[in-house]
Amino acid sequence: MSDRRTKNERRERRERRSPRERRKNADNRIVVIELAESDLRVAILQRGTEGNADQVDAMIIPWRLEATSPNTEQGLIEFTTALRSLVEKHALAGCQVRYVLGGRYCVTKAILGSTEEVRSELQQLQQRSQLYLLLGTGEKVTVSNSKPLDARHSYAVASVCHAKTLDTLYEASERTGLRIESIEPALVANSRAVGRLLNAPDIPTLLIHLDHSTVEIGVSHRGRLLLEYRPGSCETPEELVEVVRTHFGRLERHVGRLLGEASPKLRHIYLSGAQNEVENALRALSQVSEVETQIVSPAEIQSTWQLAAGIKDPGIIPALGAMLGTYLPAGESDAPNFMDHITAVSREPLKPILLRSVMPIAAVLLVAIGIAAANFHQQRNING
């Protein structure tokens, strides 16, 4: 990862804590943070003691003041400031953190088909990723998660993010003492949450996640994202209604091709995101008589946890969806994880490490040989 810290922001070597010291005060809490356009949408899970349910609290705090993006120096400063405030207020230093990236910061694609087709599509996505100007200019990072469905078919989800966004998450977490476990797309987390709703329909459903100027539309089935769709222009509730009406048939046909069956009827829309925008969208979409639209309620997500009183904001749904991922067995993650990329680029190859270890010894040996040769030559001259 690139180092954008200034000299004054870096700790002196004697002040830096070892990984063991950082974890010493970590407790049995897990933090999930969605990086939204201007806010951090936070869920904190406290593991229950034996016989007691896990407890979940949630909050939404602003992070962006003047920065245009987290990919800038100012963005890093403002994000770190907000994160430090959260960590200090709730004594979270040393805790594990899982980040969720809203649609402004990543592009996600689900692929379903023969294993060879899925592999080929992932390769093409990797090659095209640098062309995603929606994420800004500069280096992009692509990660994916694939699962076999049977002997010949697979399902995969891939996501693309700007490398500097990951830099910001990594640097800010390092400075505030959080340990990143995962970084996943919001639509994947949303799908997981909707799949666990009370009385969730057993047919594909439409997801709409609203975050100020960003609208994410996806289709989910049994907690699994089937596709993501980004409308070209959708800044008002009226435009959202037009998008739904115009593209409903196209989305149904695409889902039918993915599932290899007749086009299913998308009759349910689930809304999440910024409270005011979600409420406005609900009123507007009530005009579309062919579908049933509802706002996702945190209390309707079925889990073993207990929500703190007063948690009703639909903006927290992706964070709760990511929290559900913490209950999955080890090795059964269902989401692309950008932390895999961070780990890969942070891990130094073994050969350079060994060379650096051997070089001081080799230097000492060379000096010793040189001295011995000089002494031998001098002794011959004396004896000669």
Side-chain angles (χ1 to χ4, degrees):
M1 307 302 294
S2 64
D3 192 347
R4 292 185 280 152
R5 288 176 286 187
T6 66
K7 182 176 180 180
N8 291 333
E9 288 175 319
R10 297 189 182 108
R11 287 192 177 116
E12 294 294 331
R13 184 173 296 276
R14 64 178 178 276
E15 297 174 336
R16 296 175 188 164
R17 297 172 296 166
S18 67
R20 184 174 182 179
E21 289 172 325
R22 289 180 184 174
R23 292 191 291 268
K24 184 167 62 176
N25 296 322
D27 50 26
N28 56 349
R29 288 179 295 171
I30 298 174
V31 185
V32 177
I33 302 174
E34 181 194 357
L35 176 63
E37 186 170 332
S38 300
D39 302 318
L40 301 181
R41 298 166 183 174
V42 185
I44 302 174
L45 182 142
Q46 174 79 51
R47 294 291 190 191
T49 54
E50 188 174 351
N52 296 313
D54 296 344
Q55 304 294 315
V56 173
D57 197 5
M59 62 220 67
I60 297 177
I61 61 175
W63 76 267
R64 189 165 66 91
L65 302 175
E66 299 177 358
T68 57
S69 163
N71 301 347
T72 63
E73 291 294 335
Q74 184 64 27
L76 174 61
I77 292 171
E78 292 181 10
F79 178 74
T80 303
T81 299
L83 199 61
R84 181 175 288 115
S85 175
L86 174 72
V87 168
E88 291 177 352
K89 181 177 181 179
H90 297 277
L92 299 175
C95 286
Q96 176 191 119
V97 62
R98 292 173 176 248
Y99 286 107
V100 179
L101 295 180
R104 184 181 177 90
Y105 306 115
C106 69
V107 175
T108 304
K109 182 178 179 61
I111 309 167
L112 184 63
S114 71
T115 299
E116 188 56 38
E117 290 172 343
V118 169
R119 187 180 300 114
S120 175
E121 187 71 22
L122 288 175
Q123 291 174 349
Q124 292 178 34
L125 181 64
Q126 175 74 44
Q127 294 167 0
R128 297 194 307 264
S129 63
Q130 302 306 317
L131 303 177
Y132 284 149
L133 299 181
L134 177 69
L135 300 174
T137 58
E139 180 188 357
K140 313 299 189 307
V141 173
T142 304
V143 293
S144 62
N145 181 288
S146 301
K147 299 289 183 185
L149 299 177
D150 55 40
R152 296 187 300 170
H153 297 84
S154 296
Y155 165 79
V157 181
S159 193
V160 182
C161 174
H162 201 292
K164 285 188 177 180
T165 302
L166 301 180
D167 284 351
T168 292
L169 297 181
Y170 182 80
E171 293 290 352
S173 300
E174 281 284 294
R175 296 182 192 184
T176 54
L178 293 174
R179 298 180 290 117
I180 303 179
E181 178 68 19
S182 66
I183 305 171
E184 69 175 287
L187 264 187
V188 174
N190 245 346
S191 298
R192 194 183 298 126
V194 169
R196 296 293 295 275
L197 289 178
L198 183 64
N199 299 322
D202 191 30
I203 57 175
T205 57
L206 200 66
L207 312 179
I208 299 179
H209 187 58
L210 304 169
D211 181 20
H212 302 295
S213 64
T214 304
V215 176
E216 286 186 279
I217 298 177
V219 176
S220 174
H221 186 216
R222 297 175 181 171
R224 187 172 64 187
L225 181 68
L226 291 181
L227 65 87
E228 177 196 36
Y229 172 71
R230 291 186 176 236
S233 176
C234 189
E235 297 182 359
T236 66
E238 292 73 25
E239 289 178 335
L240 179 59
V241 170
E242 187 60 28
V243 165
V244 170
R245 282 177 168 162
T246 302
H247 299 285
F248 229 58
R250 185 183 304 171
L251 292 174
E252 289 174 340
R253 289 191 296 274
H254 188 70
V255 171
R257 287 194 298 270
L258 282 174
L259 298 177
E261 58 187 42
S263 300
K265 297 298 182 182
L266 298 175
R267 292 293 175 259
H268 298 269
I269 298 178
Y270 290 97
L271 300 173
S272 62
Q275 181 83 52
N276 291 338
E277 296 173 37
V278 165
E279 291 174 351
N280 291 336
L282 179 64
R283 285 191 290 269
L285 288 168
S286 63
Q287 305 171 24
V288 184
S289 58
E290 304 87 16
V291 297
E292 177 184 337
T293 305
Q294 68 182 78
I295 298 175
V296 182
S297 170
E300 292 181 355
I301 297 175
Q302 302 301 289
S303 183
T304 55
W305 64 47
Q306 289 183 349
L307 289 175
I311 299 180
K312 299 178 180 180
D313 198 314
I316 211 70
I317 298 302
L320 293 179
M323 192 72 77
L324 287 170
T326 66
Y327 291 89
L328 293 173
E332 294 190 16
S333 171
D334 59 352
N337 183 1
F338 286 103
M339 193 58 197
D340 293 342
H341 168 79
I342 294 176
T343 301
V345 299
S346 300
R347 185 184 295 122
E348 296 183 276
L350 181 60
K351 187 175 180 180
I353 294 176
L354 292 176
L355 287 175
R356 285 199 300 273
S357 301
V358 172
M359 283 178 65
I361 300 173
V364 171
L365 290 174
L366 286 174
V367 171
I369 292 171
I371 293 174
N375 288 338
F376 177 76
H377 182 71
Q378 185 178 23
Q379 188 64 40
R380 285 187 62 183
N381 290 336
I382 293 173
N383 294 337

